[in-house]
Amino acid sequence: MSILVDENTKVICQGLTGQQGRFHAQQMLAYGTQLVGGVTPGKGGQVQLGLPIFDTVLEAKQQTQATVSIIYVPAAFAADAIMEAAFAGMALIVCITEGIPTQDMIHVKAVLAHTQARLIGPNCPGIITPTACKIGIMPGHIHLAGRVGVISRSGTLTYEAVAQLTATGLGQSTCIGIGGDAIIGMDFVDCLALFEADEKTDGIIMIGEIGGDAEEKAASFIQAHVSKPVVAFIAGSSAPEGKRMGHAGAIISGTAGTAASKFKALQQAGVHIEYNPTLLGQRMLTILAE
Amino acid sequence: MNLHEYQAKEILQQYSIGVPQGVLVHNPEEAMLASKTLQSDRVVVKAQVHAGGRGKAGGVKLCKHAQLVETAAAMLGIHLHTAQTDQAGKLVRQVWVEEAVNIAHEYYLAILLDRSQHCISFMLSTQGGTDIEEIAKTSPQDILQLAIHPSAGLQAWHIRQMAFFLQLEKQHQRQFSTLVRQLYQAFCQTDASMLELNPLVRTQEGQFIALDAKFSIDDNALYRQKVIADMRDFAEEDALEVKAAQYGLNYISLDGDIGCMVNGAGLAMATMDMIHLKGSRPANFLDVGGGVSQDTVAHGFRLLLEQNHLKAILVNIFGGIVRCDLIALGLIEALKTHDLHIPLVMRLVGTHEKEGRQLIEDAGLAVLWAHDLDEAAQLAVATHGESS
């Protein structure tokens, strides 16, 4: 077990009967994830991929004892789906959906503070503890069970880092895609705290990008609370100001949110920064060998 | 999505927020009609372009009523070069002519999505009509930032705090309170990401007027803001980006000459960064995204191949959901109608990568294969400019 999810974790899927939900649920089952049911309002009683479908998250939780929900619900309904899961008592909610209105997420974040739920995402690839539990859309086969934690705002860029760690033999303890939106659930700081406390994690790779101040906040946290080595890359050094670079949260406003300021803050906090994203695995290998 | 000043003012008016009376003008004839409608001694002619810094560039002109038509006519059709435009500048297709007001004081008031505090925040200053970023540097004590907790919403004490900060006299406070409540409601109901009044003016007659308004709407919310979505002025956006969006491609024009196609926004940015590291510059950001179809990929390739200034193309695919054979088929389809006249570097890894490579090799395409992103960027920069 590394952080948050392991071989014992039971998962339900909100949106399992939809195209995206079904496809990725199949992949998750093939990986060995304990996916135990799905939720689609109005389709309670049906069966999909051999799994029971429920009308509500509460019912699904009561019948399956799942503690995690993964959400593939369209953007217009996703905020509501997150809150339903939180109030049903889910410990962890992973929201893959991209395109949720920002004001909805402001509301969701405030509401979730009143529940026990942790949220990963939205607009994220999910979370994986290699060989044990895959909750999301990442390609399982590129991962290797190991000792480096990965926290990333990206999807496919994370896979680059993961492939490098696998190639060096270091492997990953848990990989968390925190998502590309401006307002998200768990942030770098939240994940760093968990990795620092995890005896199965020796080092941490952070992949940030332009926009916001999450990496700067992480830098302060690392300085005060993280003893394990951190290697960081920030995507978007070459991005122009004012343009939303794909991710809703990847935008430089005026002088705020530049890659340069993030690299600087992290470096000052003792983080091993790397400007070349193809060298992350190697860098971590070198550091851990010392 | 950005709105023009005149559109922002239209919306603010719907929320009973004071704006100067104005007319939208596209040509001298409309200017003449405007001079009949507007009755003030002086008027302001303002270029309607999606770029800040218009004033300094000659895009905002105060003039006497008698000079309205000539001032408007002179501004129409020019290219405005501001600190925020590129070299070509922005073509002025329309101007907003409004009645000048008698200014007693200029304030700065903005409402924005505060991602650091995860809430909506107000930003105010007694120094309106100036560069707020300068104020932030030189006299930050003149700026009030007020976070509105989502559970509480806008409350009376928030408004009092703002009024005292702005040193408003008692007789102006009630009107200010109504104004703030209306602005907040407008911000929330339109799913705005930013609403900036710079300046918010208190006139000599004691009215609060939004003299300038910058209004941006959250792109993610446009599906439920149909009226506002219809206000979109595509002419103010990059033509290639608009075309790409129609095909479902996430495309941003940049100033280099190495074309890019990548899956995933973070990876696309990292690919651009790698090109920079290797000494060259990307021509674009292009994220083909997870659910992409062969057709969409073909459109993406055509878009790149049609740009004559490109000296190389770099394709970086790390396919999880995206299938490599789909990318290959899209390329082959595009090349049925378009020539491959520049080096094409491909890094194709992940789902169905063998099938993808095979398809390209079977088609006899001159592709330079790279195993990883470093090699891909290296090759693209090294060969760019060589004709194939």
Side-chain angles (χ1 to χ4, degrees), chain B residues 279-294:
Chain B
S280 191
R281 299 174 76 79
N284 67 285
F285 165 101
L286 171 52
D287 171 13
V288 294
V292 74
S293 68
Q294 177 185 322

Side-chain angles (χ1 to χ4, degrees), chain B residues 9 28 30 32 62 131 144 153-154 184 215 281 355 384:
Chain B
K9 284 176 169 168
E30 288 181 9
M32 286 204 267
L62 177 67
D131 182 354
L144 172 69
L154 181 66
Y184 184 74
F215 214 147
R281 299 174 76 79
E355 288 87 334
H384 108 295

Side-chain angles (χ1 to χ4, degrees), chain B residues 106-379:
Chain B
E106 292 180 302
Y107 304 96
Y108 176 95
L109 193 156
I111 309 178
L112 32 101
L113 292 179
D114 188 334
R115 63 192 286 180
S116 186
Q117 299 190 78
H118 318 123
C119 66
I120 292 171
S121 282
F122 276 80
M123 211 160 124
L124 294 101
S125 178
T126 48
Q127 297 189 55
T130 56
D131 182 354
I132 196 68
E133 280 174 24
E134 258 316 295
I135 311 281
K137 270 188 232 153
T138 56
S139 54
Q141 67 278 8
D142 287 343
I143 297 179
L144 172 69
Q145 195 140 5
L146 201 50
I148 309 296
H149 196 286
S151 301
L154 181 66
Q155 305 203 299
W157 69 265
H158 287 126
I159 303 177
R160 287 199 303 273
Q161 192 163 356
M162 293 181 211
F164 288 131
F165 180 80
L166 294 180
Q167 297 162 40
L168 296 181
E169 285 166 29
K170 201 143 184 212
Q171 75 258 39
H172 301 130
Q173 284 169 14
R174 195 185 196 141
Q175 209 200 122
F176 178 75
S177 173
T178 306
L179 169 82
V180 170
R181 286 187 195 284
Q182 291 300 109
L183 282 171
Y184 184 74
Q185 191 173 56
F187 187 91
C188 294
Q189 288 184 351
T190 58
D191 273 306
S193 53
M194 207 263 299
L195 172 55
E196 182 186 65
L197 307 185
N198 188 20
L200 166 69
V201 152
R202 177 170 48 79
T203 66
Q204 283 165 13
E205 296 81 10
Q207 302 291 97
F208 281 100
I209 303 273
L211 206 61
D212 193 8
K214 271 209 184 94
F215 214 147
S216 295
I217 308 298
D218 180 10
D219 283 346
N220 282 358
L222 290 175
Y223 77 86
R224 63 185 188 195
Q225 297 287 345
K226 295 253 160 38
V227 171
I228 292 182
D230 285 344
M231 288 180 173
R232 189 163 178 175
D233 188 354
F234 287 100
E236 288 292 313
E237 300 180 29
D238 181 292
L240 270 175
E241 292 176 15
V242 172
K243 191 172 174 186
Q246 284 165 356
Y247 297 136
L249 291 163
N250 209 337
Y251 185 97
I252 294 173
S253 293
L254 301 169
D255 60 5
D257 55 15
I258 297 187
C260 299
M261 178 186 287
V262 185
N263 65 315
L267 189 60
M269 281 192 278
T271 303
M272 284 160 43
D273 295 344
M274 279 303 294
I275 292 173
H276 265 249
L277 272 175
K278 300 296 182 184
S280 191
R281 299 174 76 79
N284 67 285
F285 165 101
L286 171 52
D287 171 13
V288 294
V292 74
S293 68
Q294 177 185 322
D295 226 23
T296 314
V297 173
H299 279 304
F301 276 116
R302 280 186 215 114
L303 219 76
L304 293 175
L305 292 165
E306 279 163 16
Q307 294 179 61
N308 295 320
H309 70 286
L310 292 197
K311 297 275 186 344
I313 295 177
L314 195 174
V315 176
N316 181 21
I317 302 289
F318 198 128
I321 301 170
V322 168
R323 287 165 35 195
C324 294
D325 50 346
L326 209 92
I327 303 290
L329 289 169
L331 172 62
I332 291 164
E333 190 182 315
L335 292 178
K336 283 187 191 147
T337 50
H338 290 61
D339 281 331
L340 184 56
H341 54 285
I342 47 177
L344 171 59
V345 177
M346 281 193 97
R347 187 272 188 119
L348 205 61
V349 160
T351 312
H352 294 187
E353 64 178 79
K354 288 203 186 74
E355 288 87 334
R357 274 191 86 124
Q358 197 64 53
L359 281 163
I360 290 174
E361 265 152 32
D362 289 348
L365 301 178
V367 163
L368 298 160
W369 293 103
H371 292 103
D372 60 38
L373 175 51
D374 191 279
E375 196 188 341
Q378 189 88 18
L379 267 174

Side-chain angles (χ1 to χ4, degrees), chain A residues 155-224:
Chain A
T156 50
L157 179 54
T158 314
Y159 310 159
E160 281 283 352
V162 164
Q164 291 167 35
L165 285 170
T166 298
T168 59
L170 284 172
Q172 310 86 33
S173 53
T174 298
C175 302
I176 307 178
I178 59 176
D181 279 0
I183 308 277
I184 55 176
M186 291 183 74
D187 214 326
F188 284 114
V189 169
D190 301 309
C191 300
L192 284 162
L194 291 176
F195 278 127
E196 176 69 8
D198 176 38
E199 59 188 20
K200 296 216 171 144
T201 296
D202 294 339
I204 304 156
I205 289 186
M206 254 183 75
I207 299 173
E209 49 192 52
I210 51 167
D213 64 356
E215 291 83 359
E216 288 84 341
K217 282 186 175 144
S220 300
F221 185 79
I222 289 167
Q223 184 138 47

Side-chain angles (χ1 to χ4, degrees), chain A residues 13-14 21 38 42 45 56 69 81 93 131 138 155 169 199 208 214 219 236 259 264 277 280:
Chain A
C13 173
Q14 290 169 260
T56 66
S69 179
I93 302 164
T131 70
M138 64 288 282
E199 59 188 20
K264 186 171 171 196
L280 300 171

